[in-house]
Amino acid sequence: LEREGYDVGYQTNVDTQREPWTLMTAQALVCAGHDEYWTFEIRRGFEQACDAGIHLAFLGANQCYWQIRYEDAERTLVEYRSKRNDPVKDAARKTVLWRDLDAPRPESRMIGVRYAGGITSTDELLSYEVVDGAESDPWGEAFANRAPLPELVGYEWDGLDPAFEPPDLVRFLRCRDERSNADCVRWRAPSGALVFAAGSLALAHG
């Protein structure tokens, strides 16, 4: 991005936790990889940015999967993975899967895809196939030859949520697998913000 002349800024999850309003200064937000553990404040910051029309790109997979919190001046990441064992009283901040909160907040509602158990070893990566019609989209012109894209799916991947149809959805790539499918998609949030999800940790390597 820097080489192509884009004005790029960087911050850690702790930066976002402390000052989520800083996300509002961007035109687009990019999560680069395997960002699995998010606090309530981090997710709220991303959702508020998207609601304000700021575009989102998720370039990995299994992102925003568990809700966690920080303690000890952000030196300790706390995750009980159990509503019953977590001593915090606020049900909205229990450290469980976002989709398992009393008021469920599946990651697919923000990302467009979700982790559903797709995992393999790093030496058994799978292939993405170009979806019919993807090459006709301006973002899909690179797929005009329709050739499969080997070793881009894994070692974890995300697929579309059957309980959620993202609006204005364009699916570029798909991998069908008995464990779960992987999908590389773009969709448009109600605010008009575009959301891109790579659907695979390995896509960035290609």
Side-chain angles (χ1 to χ4, degrees):
L1 288 170
E2 291 177 351
R3 185 180 64 237
E4 295 297 324
Y6 288 95
D7 180 14
V8 185
Y10 305 88
Q11 65 188 49
T12 68
N13 281 0
V14 170
D15 295 327
T16 306
Q17 158 75 19
R18 292 176 177 174
E19 299 180 330
W21 56 88
T22 57
L23 301 179
M24 302 297 286
T25 64
Q27 290 183 305
L29 303 173
V30 178
C31 287
H34 192 176
D35 199 4
E36 185 172 347
Y37 305 94
W38 286 36
T39 67
F40 182 94
E41 290 77 13
I42 292 171
R43 178 154 183 181
R44 181 173 60 184
F46 271 81
E47 289 176 335
Q48 289 177 339
C50 187
D51 289 344
I54 296 171
H55 309 300
L56 306 181
F58 298 92
L59 303 186
N62 194 16
Q63 297 168 303
C64 189
Y65 188 57
W66 293 96
Q67 177 165 231
I68 56 94
R69 62 180 174 271
Y70 293 120
E71 294 179 359
D72 187 28
E74 288 99 12
R75 292 176 177 161
T76 302
L77 185 155
V78 177
E79 181 198 16
Y80 282 85
R81 299 194 177 194
S82 164
K83 296 176 188 176
R84 183 179 67 253
N85 293 338
D86 191 339
V88 72
K89 301 300 184 186
D90 186 348
R93 294 175 180 260
K94 294 284 188 180
T95 55
V96 295
L97 295 177
W98 289 95
R99 64 185 77 165
D100 288 343
L101 291 168
D102 289 345
R105 300 175 65 192
E107 68 272 26
S108 57
R109 302 308 190 271
M110 178 182 62
I111 300 173
V113 294
R114 62 165 189 166
Y115 180 70
I119 187 169
T120 186
S121 65
T122 55
D123 59 355
E124 295 180 12
L125 300 179
L126 309 177
S127 296
Y128 255 146
E129 304 287 339
V130 178
V131 175
D132 287 344
E135 70 280 3
S136 64
D137 186 273
W139 288 22
E141 291 177 354
F143 308 134
N145 65 8
R146 302 297 309 282
L149 304 171
E151 298 187 347
L152 292 189
V153 178
Y155 70 94
E156 292 183 336
W157 58 85
D158 297 341
L160 288 168
D161 182 349
F164 175 65
E165 177 72 20
D168 197 20
L169 174 69
V170 177
R171 185 187 303 175
F172 297 105
L173 306 171
R174 185 168 201 197
C175 175
R176 298 178 187 272
D177 187 81
E178 60 185 10
R179 287 159 287 198
S180 69
N181 295 329
D183 294 288
C184 175
V185 304
R186 184 193 70 225
W187 60 288
R188 189 178 298 275
S191 66
L194 293 173
V195 183
F196 174 80
S200 169
L201 289 176
L203 185 69
H205 295 288

